[in-house]
């Protein structure tokens, strides 16, 4: 959802970044897209606690564009897409390209920062323990090494 132009979610949806719970980091752009999409403190909460938030909280934070009842998200997403498809295609394309140009420049810095974070934990005992505990369905025993 962090890579989407618009977000439609049902009220029963849960959103989160769970990687720290198993001793790894969000490597699919979560480290830099979450702070672009959420207020900084909420992004930190999502990244650092692994506790997901409900769609209503994400909507109130401005991340979700349309909040629907369960089962209605796809229909609402189509309705939302139809709204902007009624506009001049070249104008819509130019607007998206402009927005994406800025985000791509920030993404280059974000990918570099993500690689540094990944290098800091890759091969650590905690990363191995996190994955092992996840597979074994048990609480991890962190050693900070």
């Amino acid at each position: 959802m962090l890579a989407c132009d618009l977000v439609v979610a049902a009220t029963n949806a849960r959103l989160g970044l769970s990687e720290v719970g198993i001793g790894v980091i969000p490597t699919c752009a979560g480290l830099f897209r979450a702070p672009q999409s959420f207020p900084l403190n909420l992004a930190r909460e999502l990244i650092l606690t692994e506790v997901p938030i409900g769609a209503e909280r994400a909507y109130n934070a401005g991340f979700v564009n349309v909040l629907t009842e369960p089962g209605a998200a796809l229909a609402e997403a189509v309705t939302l897409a139809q709204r902007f498809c009624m506009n001049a295609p070249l104008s819509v394309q130019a607007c998206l390209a402009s927005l994406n140009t800025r985000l791509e420049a920030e993404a280059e810095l974000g990918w570099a920062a993500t690689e540094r974070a990944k290098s800091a934990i890759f091969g650590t005992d905690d990363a191995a323990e996190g994955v092992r505990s996840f597979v074994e369905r048990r609480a991890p025993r962190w050693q900070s090494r």
Side-chain angles (χ1 to χ4, degrees):
M1 293 173 87
L2 290 172
C4 295
D5 291 321
L6 302 167
V7 177
V8 177
T11 55
N12 61 345
R14 309 277 296 152
L15 305 108
L17 296 165
S18 60
E19 290 86 350
V20 296
I22 61 166
V24 296
I25 64 165
T27 56
C28 295
L31 285 179
F32 59 91
R33 287 193 176 137
Q36 288 174 338
S37 301
F38 290 100
L40 184 55
N41 283 343
L42 181 54
R44 284 182 179 134
E45 178 183 332
L46 288 167
I47 293 167
L48 299 175
T49 67
E50 81 160 320
V51 177
I53 63 170
E56 188 170 344
R57 185 169 180 205
Y59 176 80
N60 290 334
F63 177 69
V64 172
N65 297 88
V66 179
L67 194 59
T68 73
E69 291 302 315
L74 180 58
E76 277 299 318
V78 169
T79 298
L80 183 60
Q82 289 171 335
R83 277 189 230 138
F84 65 80
C85 286
M86 292 174 14
N87 296 316
L90 294 178
S91 178
V92 170
Q93 291 168 7
C95 289
L96 281 174
S98 178
L99 291 167
N100 289 336
T101 297
R102 184 188 70 89
L103 294 173
E104 286 169 14
E106 292 176 19
E108 288 182 34
L109 296 173
W111 285 119
T114 299
E115 281 302 313
R116 286 191 300 276
K118 191 167 72 171
S119 294
I121 62 133
F122 182 77
T124 65
D125 291 345
D126 275 1
E129 167 61 13
V131 173
R132 192 171 38 254
S133 67
F134 177 77
V135 170
E136 295 172 0
R137 299 180 190 258
R138 61 170 175 80
R141 293 181 290 276
W142 305 121
Q143 301 295 316
S144 295
R145 49 180 187 187

